[in-house]
């Protein structure tokens, strides 16, 4: 149930709450762990400005910075990081958690640029690639930048504990999964190995996100970005596998259906989105290859769709009873996690 300020104002107009009670309740709900940032103009400005600043020092970095040389890039990065930390502390003292978290994430995002500049200055940069290639190509020597970013990110996340700080950490883990696979290939390209490595690395990220989710169930949502990039890495790696038989493709369908079920149970939409995409891919394969000339397939698929809708009606009718029985079989930590998640 999503309660907005408008609902509380309507409760005041109906004399269910007094204006003072509505204000206190709104402030209380806004500080709950599952509340998260609301979609309003202030927060849009916060995230727009923060993402522009982060993008300027990462994705949109141009060759002009190379003229500063290694030491110039390193010290300018440190200067920017110092400004970011000062702003983080300033916003934190003002109890503005969203801009504080964005500024702290900006500092983490600066780390690979600083490490690149330091390697360049010390003469240990291995080839003629430049920093902007870090976000475009898969290469083994990005590992130093990624490991350093993870170290800085974990330390700052431990100090400041803002959920948005996990975003650059999750992105770095995604990059790391691709670059470690490239390093293990030792000079030759094997698409299937990279896809398999990505799938298992994504599964590990997703399980880590679940562990973080359980541990932080009574605080803030620190697992969101880990889920996003963990599921992304796993699903892309799984989808890229060479499915040479209908059995393996059917297993792919079952895994995607399982992802949808997991997403519904733990209230994580990213599982549902990618699972639904996988189901659509499988149905497309059936329609365009297996049953290409069959007039019966669209009719059967329509019947299946209507049956699923009917099952949804039955589920809604008995949801409370079935959910209560199902949750009673789960470990206590998982029950507390589900109880903390909004329906």
């Amino acid at each position: 149930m999503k309660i907005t300020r408008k609902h509380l104002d309507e409760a005041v107009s109906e004399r269910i709450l007094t204006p003072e009670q509505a204000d206190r309740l709104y402030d209380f709900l806004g500080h709950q762990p599952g509340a998260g940032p609301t979609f309003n103009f202030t927060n849009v400005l916060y995230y727009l400005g923060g993402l522009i600043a982060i993008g300027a020092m990462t994705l949109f970095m141009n060759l002009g910075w190379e003229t500063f040389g290694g030491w110039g890039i390193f010290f300018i990065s440190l200067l920017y990081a110092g400004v970011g930390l000062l702003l983080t502390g300033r916003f934190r003292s003002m109890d503005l958690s969203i801009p504080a978290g964005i500024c702290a994430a900006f500092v983490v995002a600066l780390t690979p640029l600083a490490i690149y500049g330091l390697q360049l200055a010390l003469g240990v940069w291995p080839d003629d690639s430049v920093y902007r290639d870090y976000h475009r190509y898969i290469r083994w020597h990005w590992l130093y930048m990624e490991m350093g970013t993870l170290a800085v990110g974990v330390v700052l996340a431990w100090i400041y504990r803002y959920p948005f700080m996990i975003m650059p950490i999750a992105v770095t883990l995604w990059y790391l999964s691709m670059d470690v696979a490239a390093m293990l290939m030792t000079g030759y390209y094997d698409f299937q190995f990279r896809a398999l490595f990505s799938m298992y690395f994504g599964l590990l990220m997703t399980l880590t996100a679940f562990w973080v989710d359980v541990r932080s169930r009574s605080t803030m949502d620190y697992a969101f970005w880990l889920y996003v990039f963990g599921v992304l890495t796993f699903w892309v790696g799984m989808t890229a596998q060479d499915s040479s038989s209908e059995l393996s493709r059917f297993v792919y369908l079952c895994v995607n259906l399982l992802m949808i079920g997991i997403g519904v149970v733990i209230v994580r939409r990213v599982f549902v989105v990618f699972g639904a995409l996988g189901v659509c891919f499988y149905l497309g394969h059936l329609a365009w290859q297996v049953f290409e000339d069959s007039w019966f397939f669209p009719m059967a698929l329509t019947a299946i769709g209507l049956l699923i809708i009917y099952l949804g009606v039955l589920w809604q009718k008995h949801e409370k009873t079935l959910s209560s029985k199902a949750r009673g079989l789960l470990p206590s930590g998982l029950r507390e996690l589900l109880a903390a998640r909004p329906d």
Side-chain angles (χ1 to χ4, degrees):
M1 182 181 298
K2 186 176 178 64
I3 300 176
T4 65
R5 180 72 208 200
K6 182 181 178 181
H7 293 138
L8 297 180
D9 290 340
E10 290 174 352
V12 171
S13 65
E14 294 291 334
R15 297 184 179 180
I16 300 172
L17 297 173
T18 66
E20 294 77 14
Q21 289 173 328
D23 292 338
R24 291 177 60 191
L25 182 57
Y26 184 75
D27 291 338
F28 171 77
L29 294 175
H31 287 86
Q32 294 307 296
T38 56
F39 185 77
N40 56 41
F41 189 64
T42 300
N43 288 340
V44 168
L45 291 179
Y46 284 154
Y47 283 106
L48 178 62
L51 291 175
I52 289 175
I54 291 173
M57 306 306 292
T58 55
L59 297 174
F60 309 130
M61 179 67 67
N62 56 39
L63 295 175
W65 269 59
E66 300 297 327
T67 60
F68 290 114
W71 287 117
I73 293 174
F74 177 70
F75 285 114
I76 292 174
S77 299
L78 290 184
L79 177 62
Y80 272 58
V83 172
L85 290 175
L86 287 175
L87 289 174
T88 301
R90 175 64 175 169
F91 290 135
R92 190 183 193 185
S93 66
M94 298 169 63
D95 199 26
L96 297 173
S97 59
I98 293 177
I102 293 173
C103 289
F106 171 72
V107 176
V108 178
L110 277 170
T111 305
L113 179 62
I115 295 175
Y116 165 75
L118 183 61
Q119 287 184 277
L120 206 62
L122 296 176
V124 295
W125 189 250
D127 58 20
D128 60 351
S129 59
V130 294
Y131 172 75
R132 72 173 183 176
D133 294 337
Y134 173 65
H135 300 284
R136 299 166 60 189
Y137 302 111
I138 300 173
R139 290 175 180 166
W140 69 268
H141 59 263
W142 305 142
L143 293 176
Y144 300 106
M145 300 158 67
E146 290 160 352
M147 297 303 292
T149 302
L150 290 177
V152 172
V154 169
V155 171
L156 290 183
W158 180 259
I159 294 173
Y160 293 108
R161 300 176 184 265
Y162 293 120
F164 189 70
M165 297 181 64
I166 306 299
M167 186 272 289
I169 297 176
V171 172
T172 302
L173 286 171
W174 179 37
Y175 285 6
L176 185 68
S177 70
M178 296 181 283
D179 295 330
V180 168
M183 180 190 69
L184 295 176
M185 297 314 300
T186 60
Y188 67 94
Y189 184 83
D190 187 334
F191 179 81
Q192 289 302 316
F193 175 81
R194 292 191 178 189
L196 189 64
F197 186 88
S198 175
M199 184 178 72
Y200 285 118
F201 195 96
L203 179 60
L204 179 62
M205 281 183 65
T206 305
L207 293 174
T208 302
F210 181 72
W211 177 79
V212 171
D213 205 6
V214 173
R215 291 292 300 270
S216 62
R217 60 186 180 273
S218 59
T219 56
M220 291 186 283
D221 187 3
Y222 295 102
F224 174 80
W225 291 105
L226 291 173
Y227 274 127
V228 169
F229 287 97
V231 173
L232 170 67
T233 304
F234 168 78
W235 185 85
V236 170
M238 178 181 66
T239 304
Q241 295 296 312
D242 182 16
S243 300
S244 56
S245 67
E246 289 304 320
L247 177 61
S248 61
R249 294 188 178 100
F250 179 72
V251 171
Y252 173 79
L253 169 68
C254 292
V255 173
N256 280 281
L257 290 173
L258 178 62
M259 288 175 61
I260 293 175
I262 291 173
V264 172
V265 170
I266 66 174
V267 199
R268 291 290 177 177
R269 294 181 180 89
V270 64
F271 286 90
V272 179
V273 170
F274 282 102
L277 285 175
V279 171
C280 289
F281 286 171
Y282 180 77
L283 294 178
H285 163 72
L286 292 181
W288 298 324
Q289 296 185 32
V290 179
F291 300 105
E292 182 179 4
D293 299 320
S294 173
W295 59 267
F296 179 72
F297 179 72
M299 297 174 62
L301 203 58
T302 301
I304 292 173
L306 294 176
L307 176 61
I308 292 175
I309 294 175
Y310 178 67
L311 291 176
V313 173
L314 292 178
W315 171 262
Q316 184 179 15
K317 185 181 297 184
H318 306 287
E319 180 179 7
K320 186 175 182 179
T321 302
L322 294 175
S323 296
S324 178
K325 290 182 178 179
R327 292 187 179 188
L329 302 174
L330 300 175
S332 59
L334 186 54
R335 289 202 302 270
E336 292 175 11
L337 171 64
L338 297 180
R341 290 283 173 263
D343 294 329

